[in-house]
Amino acid sequence: MTTSEITTARFDFGRVFRQTFTVIGAKLPILLLLGFVLLWPAAIANGIAVARIYSRHLGYFEQLGAIQVLALGVTLFSALANTIAAPVVTDALNISSPMRGRPLQALARYGLPAIIVQVIVQLATALGTLALFVPGLLVMVIWYTAIPSLIFDGTGIGGALNRARVLSRGHRWSIFGITFLLGLISLAPYVMLLPLTGGLHPSGPSADLLIAGRSAVVGLTGCIHMVAVTVVYWELRRLKEGGLADVFD
């Protein structure tokens, strides 16, 4: 592939979707385990806490601030899950990397830096959202692949953020599109459960149980995003560096 072909190549939505769900099928047991151990408890606790925040009828900025604080807590678990999942996804894609198929080594080496990276992204996204909704989305898209960049490019925290920015350049609408579509897919079970679990704001003695049940579904469908972020990272590397022998077997 020539330099011209690499720089003008298009983000392949079909390829990303296909690889995301192929990896989920191939690595379903370990992904479900990650979902149950890390994403599921965080989603349940967050769902109950958010419901209680809304029930207090706070002002807009008070609500938003409280929800962002909760999001930082969820960030810790999602960063660890993404760190463990990245080598597993890379192994399923049959891509050459020193961290391929080594989730525990990745966790030991990059767990804490990944949390710091994710907190930076979360805070920057929150500040952008408070200022105006669009900057928050832009920050999220620019740094979408920061954790895979940290793990597979061997950079530090700042280097990972810069690497994600460089990889996303020219493909940010595509990244937004793929995350939006996968978000709709992962939220579909939640929306279908709403009528069966008391609507948006269930009440009564079983309210927490109903919220926990549907939040658990959200936690498990979060596995889709856990896989997609690494798939998107390798797709961006294919577009930027498609002629490099060390990117694919």
Side-chain angles (χ1 to χ4, degrees), residues 213-238:
R214 68 196 191 198
S215 297
V217 173
V218 173
L220 291 179
T221 56
C223 291
I224 297 173
H225 293 280
M226 190 167 60
V227 171
V229 64
T230 299
V231 173
V232 169
Y233 166 81
W234 288 114
E235 173 67 8
L236 294 175
R237 282 200 59 176
R238 181 185 71 85

Side-chain angles (χ1 to χ4, degrees), residues 47 50-51 183-197 199-202 210-211 213-219 221:
V50 167
L184 290 179
I185 292 171
S186 62
L187 279 176
Y190 176 84
V191 173
M192 289 187 289
L193 281 172
L194 283 178
L196 304 175
T197 55
L200 283 173
H201 305 295
L210 294 173
I211 293 169
R214 68 196 191 198
S215 297
V217 173
V218 173
T221 56

Side-chain angles (χ1 to χ4, degrees), residues 17-37:
F17 267 96
R18 185 173 61 254
Q19 289 186 336
T20 296
F21 289 99
T22 297
V23 169
I24 290 172
K27 301 291 185 179
L28 188 59
I30 189 169
L31 293 173
L32 285 178
L33 179 62
L34 281 175
F36 276 115
V37 173

Side-chain angles (χ1 to χ4, degrees), residues 2-244:
T2 66
T3 302
S4 176
E5 289 171 331
I6 294 169
T7 55
T8 60
R10 292 176 178 267
F11 188 96
D12 192 334
F13 279 88
R15 177 189 180 95
V16 171
F17 267 96
R18 185 173 61 254
Q19 289 186 336
T20 296
F21 289 99
T22 297
V23 169
I24 290 172
K27 301 291 185 179
L28 188 59
I30 189 169
L31 293 173
L32 285 178
L33 179 62
L34 281 175
F36 276 115
V37 173
L38 293 172
L39 301 181
W40 191 56
I44 291 173
N46 185 68
I48 293 173
V50 167
R52 290 183 176 174
I53 288 171
Y54 282 127
S55 70
R56 295 179 62 185
H57 304 293
L58 301 173
Y60 172 76
F61 288 105
E62 289 177 299
Q63 278 190 354
L64 190 59
I67 289 170
Q68 289 301 327
V69 170
L70 289 174
L72 285 174
V74 174
T75 289
L76 185 149
F77 292 94
S78 64
L80 295 178
N82 285 334
T83 303
I84 296 170
V88 174
V89 174
T90 301
D91 183 56
L93 294 174
N94 196 32
I95 297 174
S96 295
S97 168
M99 280 293 156
R100 170 183 171 178
R102 297 179 177 178
L104 296 182
Q105 290 91 327
L107 178 62
R109 184 172 178 180
Y110 297 109
L112 182 57
I115 290 172
I116 296 171
V117 165
Q118 197 69 26
V119 167
I120 292 171
V121 174
Q122 180 67 37
L123 288 174
T125 301
L127 290 173
T129 302
L130 283 171
L132 192 64
F133 189 66
V134 173
L137 288 177
L138 182 61
V139 169
M140 180 189 71
V141 167
I142 289 173
W143 285 340
Y144 182 67
T145 60
I147 288 181
S149 296
L150 175 74
I151 296 169
F152 299 116
D153 290 312
T155 63
I157 293 168
L161 294 170
N162 184 62
R163 174 67 163 157
R165 179 186 61 82
V166 170
L167 285 175
S168 69
R169 186 181 296 141
H171 304 288
R172 288 167 187 166
W173 276 112
S174 298
I175 296 171
F176 171 76
I178 202 77
T179 56
F180 179 76
L181 291 175
L182 289 175
L184 290 179
I185 292 171
S186 62
L187 279 176
Y190 176 84
V191 173
M192 289 187 289
L193 281 172
L194 283 178
L196 304 175
T197 55
L200 283 173
H201 305 295
S203 58
S206 60
D208 283 352
L209 183 60
L210 294 173
I211 293 169
R214 68 196 191 198
S215 297
V217 173
V218 173
L220 291 179
T221 56
C223 291
I224 297 173
H225 293 280
M226 190 167 60
V227 171
V229 64
T230 299
V231 173
V232 169
Y233 166 81
W234 288 114
E235 173 67 8
L236 294 175
R237 282 200 59 176
R238 181 185 71 85
L239 295 174
K240 300 283 185 178
E241 306 163 355
L244 297 179

